[in-house]
Amino acid sequence: MLKDNFNKMCLVVIAFLVLVSLCFTLKANAEEFDAPADAAESVPSVQVYDPDLYAKLDSLQESVNALSEVIAADTQNTAPDYTEQLSGISDQLQILAEQVEPEADTTSAFDKPFSEYSLVENLLLILSVILGFNVFSLIIKNFIL
């Protein structure tokens, strides 16, 4: 079946590429793996009762609670209300933006009806059509015929 070396080499290259892609797939799946919550809880731990440690933890918790109360009271009393000033600034910015950006003229030449064209505009339109036809006919005449 696989008598010549070319077929064997192709088979080896294909097998190698499949193995490489399998390795990358396994690595990607391993990086996305999250350990279940039960695995972290099932680790045995040693519980030691140390009264000095619990006393230190209680005093630390009391100081953290006192500090958080002071910070909460501090922020409630000293926080100024800037909403009125911010609304005034945003109104001023809106006025400035309206003054800086003039309204763009949205009319184009193609919105104007043909009956409203002036004599000069009509003549320019006819001239451009004739010139375009002449250029087209010269191109056809020189390059095709």
Side-chain angles (χ1 to χ4, degrees), residues 29-40:
N29 288 340
E31 289 175 353
E32 295 172 359
F33 178 73
D34 292 331
D38 297 332

Side-chain angles (χ1 to χ4, degrees), residues 19-33:
L19 285 175
V20 169
S21 66
L22 182 64
C23 289
F24 282 117
T25 304
L26 289 176
K27 182 181 178 193
N29 288 340
E31 289 175 353
E32 295 172 359
F33 178 73

Side-chain angles (χ1 to χ4, degrees), residues 51-130:
D52 294 332
L53 179 65
Y54 286 115
K56 289 178 183 177
L57 286 175
D58 289 339
S59 65
L60 182 64
Q61 184 63 43
E62 290 172 2
S63 62
V64 166
N65 290 341
L67 184 61
S68 64
E69 289 175 4
V70 168
I71 290 174
D74 221 11
T75 57
Q76 290 175 356
N77 294 336
T78 62
D81 188 19
Y82 294 115
T83 54
E84 184 176 326
Q85 293 174 347
L86 289 175
S87 65
I89 290 171
S90 66
D91 291 340
Q92 290 174 357
L93 286 174
Q94 186 176 7
I95 291 170
L96 287 174
E98 290 173 357
Q99 290 175 354
V100 169
E101 298 175 7
E103 290 191 24
D105 187 20
T106 58
T107 60
S108 75
F110 299 108
D111 293 338
K112 188 176 178 181
F114 188 70
S115 60
E116 294 180 5
Y117 283 161
S118 67
L119 179 63
V120 174
E121 290 172 334
N122 284 329
L123 291 176
L124 285 174
L125 182 63
I126 293 170
L127 183 65
S128 65
V129 169
I130 291 171

